[in-house]
Amino acid sequence: MADTTDILLRESPGALIVTDPSGKVLKWSGGAASVFGYASGEAEGYSLYDLIVPPDRHEEEERILREVLSKGSTTYEAIRRRKDGSFLFAGISARVIRNDDDDSECIIANEMDITDLKTRRDARMASNRFGDPLESTPDGIVMVNATGRIILANGHAEKMFGYKKGKLIGRPIEILLPKRLQDEHIRHRSGYMSQPRVRAMGVGLELYGLRRDGTEFPVEISLSPLDTESGTLVMSAIRDISERKKAEQKFRDLLESAPDAMVIVSQDGKIALINSQTEKLFGYEREALLGLPVETLIPERFRQHHPGHRKRFFKNPNFRPMGVGLELYGLRRDGTEFPVEISLSPLDTEEGMLVSGTIRDITERKRFEQALQDKNMELVAANKAKDHFLAGMSHELRTPLNAILGFTGTLLMQLPGPLNEDQKKQLETVRTSARHLLSLINELLDLAKIESGKTELYFENIDCRDVIKETVDGLQPQADKKGLELSIKLPGDALTMKTDRRALSQILMNLLGNAIKFTDSGDVAVTAKRTRKRKIPGIKISVRDSGIGIRNEDQGKLFVAFSQIHNEHSVSGEGTGLGLYLSRKLAGYLSGRIEMESEYGKGSTFTLILEGK
C-alpha cells in the first residue's frame, strides 16, 4: 500500500496533498512542490494554512474543511499563495479517508493550477461589464484579478505601454514594471490584496512604467478595488507624467539658477522644496529641511503669529513682499539671526496651491544704510555748523564793511576837508570794493539759507510793475556809465500777483545786473505781460540784451552754483557764480521758473515766468 501511495504522490498530474483533519500536512507530492514552491521536507508537518492559504482566506478555508469532513468530499476553487508570495487560482477536489471505525483519518486534496482558465473567465466578464465605459477615460486603465493577472486594459493603456490590442490580457501585471521593481511589487501586491482600498500607489515614491520596447517612463497610479461575482478585482488608473516631470525638473533648474534662497511651502506650512542657496543661507542640508514647518527658519519670538499670516495668504494669495514696513529676520541652524527681505508668490499645481518664498540676506544693505544714516547725521551736524558759522561771520564782516562804506562816503563828501583828484579816485576804488565784498557776503548768506531750507518768504498781493520800475531805476546809473540804452515796456493795467516782494526784486536784480554787466554796447530791454497757459494765469518778465551771448556748450553751466563762464569777450570782474543759481532757486519758491535763449555774439534773453494769481 505504501508503494501505491508513493506512486500516486509522485505521478499525480496536480498538487496532491494529504493532511490530517486539522490541516496539518502529512504528504506533499512532487506536483505540489512544483506548483507551490515548497519541497516536501519544507511542507510535511506544517499547517496548510501557514503554507499556501492567504491570511484573509483562513475563515473560508476552515468552513470548507468542515464541509468536507461532514460530507466526505467536495470540489471548489480557491486562491492559493506560493512560497514566493505570488497568488494562483486552484481548482480543488478534496476527499476524506476514514479508518475502520469510520473516523476521519486524513484528507486527500488534488489541487490544479487553473489560473489561466480563471483569468480568461475574468477577462470575458470584465470586458462585457467595464470595457466600453473605460475606453472613454483619459487615463490608461489596467484591471487585474487576485493573482495579479491582467484581465482588462483599455486603449490608452495599450498605447501607453506599446502593446497591440488584447496582447496584455492574461499577463502578470509586473510585465509593465522595470525588472528591478518586479519582485518588490509582487510583495506589495500581495499585501494590498489582503486589505484592498482606494489609494494612490507608491505615495512618496518615484514610480516608473516599462514599455514593450524596454524604455522606462514616470507614472502616477491610483488603485481601486472592485467587488464582483468573480471575486475582488483591482483597477489601476495610470497616467504618464513625463511632461510634468520635465516641467518639474525645469522648475527645479530655475530654482537652482536663482540668485536668492527659494523655499516652496505647502498649505500645511511644511517645506516642500528648497534650492542650494537656501542650504547655504540657513546652514541646513536639503534633506534635513524638507517636511519641516517653515517656522523652523524664523526666530522664536515671531513663530506664534506666523501660522496666522500664512493661512491668510493662502486664502487671499497675491504676489507681494512679506512684512512691508516691518523688520524681518531669518534664523540659521546655528541659532544666529540675520535681516532678510522676503517676497511671496502663489504656485498653482495639480496637488493644490503652494507658496514660493524668495529670501534675500540684506545684512550688507543694513550695514550700508546704517553707515549712510550715520554719515547723513554727520552732514546735518556739519551743515548746522556751517550755517552757524556763516551767520556769525556775515555779522562780523558786515559791521566793519558798513563802517568802511560809511567813512568812505563821509570822506568823498569832503566833510573833513577837501580832497585832490587822486585821493577821490582811491576812495572810489575802496568804496566799490567794499560794496562788492558786501554783495558777496549777502549772496553766501542767501545760499546758506536756501540750502538749509530756512528761506523765509512773505506772500502778499503786489503790482509787479512797481518792483520792475524800482529795479530798473536802481541799475540805471550802471547802464548810463556804459553808454547803454535801458528801456522798459510795461502794460497799462496792473500786474498784480501774490508773491514775495524781496525774492522777486532779487531775481530781477540778478537778471538785469548780468545783462548790463555782459553788454558792452547797444541796449538792454525789460518787458512784462500777463499770460495764461492751460487755463492757469501768470506773468512773464523778460530781460533782453545785445551783449556777448553764450556758447551752446556753456549754457548748461549757467545755473550751477559757483560756476563762471569766461571767454575773450567776457567782462573782467569778480563774482561768486551764485547769482543765476540763487535766482533759479528763488523762482522755484515762487512757483515759477527761469528760461533762457542766447546766440553767441548777438545777445541773450532771460525770462522769469510766474504762475498764479
Side-chain angles (χ1 to χ4, degrees), residues 370-386:
Q370 186 60 48
L372 187 61
Q373 185 176 353
D374 294 342
K375 183 59 68 175
N376 284 338
M377 292 179 67
E378 291 178 10
L379 291 174
V380 169
N383 197 46
K384 287 182 179 178
K386 178 202 70 175

Side-chain angles (χ1 to χ4, degrees), residues 96-276:
V96 178
I97 304 297
R98 302 182 185 279
N99 58 23
D100 294 340
D101 296 328
D102 200 30
D103 291 328
S104 300
E105 184 175 335
C106 64
I107 300 172
I108 299 177
N110 188 22
E111 303 199 5
M112 304 288 292
D113 183 356
I114 61 168
T115 301
D116 289 341
L117 176 63
K118 183 69 166 60
T119 298
R120 287 194 294 271
R121 291 204 312 258
D122 290 344
R124 286 195 296 271
M125 181 277 298
S127 178
N128 293 334
R129 183 172 176 181
F130 304 107
D132 291 340
L134 293 181
E135 284 299 323
S136 61
T137 61
D139 295 323
I141 302 295
V142 175
M143 193 176 293
V144 299
N145 59 19
T147 64
R149 297 294 185 94
I150 298 172
I151 62 172
L152 185 146
N154 69 357
H156 291 292
E158 292 171 328
K159 183 179 180 181
M160 186 185 303
F161 288 94
Y163 286 86
K164 293 182 180 180
K165 185 174 178 61
K167 294 300 182 181
L168 283 173
I169 304 303
R171 300 197 180 195
I173 187 65
E174 283 73 28
I175 196 175
L176 303 181
L177 299 176
K179 293 187 182 301
R180 66 182 184 281
L181 305 176
Q182 291 178 1
D183 291 342
E184 187 69 20
H185 184 264
I186 291 174
R187 289 191 290 273
H188 287 309
R189 175 164 54 78
S190 300
Y192 179 82
M193 291 306 300
S194 65
Q195 291 182 323
R197 66 188 187 280
V198 176
R199 67 173 174 84
M201 177 179 170
V203 177
L205 301 177
E206 296 281 345
L207 301 181
Y208 291 90
L210 180 68
R211 294 189 179 92
R212 188 180 183 185
D213 62 9
T215 58
E216 296 183 13
F217 62 102
V219 293
E220 185 178 78
I221 303 175
S222 296
L223 304 176
S224 302
L226 299 172
D227 291 326
T228 70
E229 61 274 15
S230 296
T232 300
L233 307 176
V234 177
M235 183 173 71
S236 302
I238 307 169
R239 181 171 296 178
D240 182 351
I241 58 172
S242 299
E243 292 304 317
R244 186 202 302 174
K245 286 291 183 181
K246 289 178 183 177
E248 289 176 356
Q249 186 58 49
K250 185 176 182 181
F251 179 67
R252 286 188 174 91
D253 292 342
L254 287 173
L255 282 184
E256 287 303 318
S257 64
D260 298 317
M262 301 286 289
V263 178
I264 310 299
V265 181
S266 59
Q267 293 199 36
D268 59 358
K270 300 295 179 62
I271 297 173
L273 193 65
I274 66 171
N275 62 358
S276 57

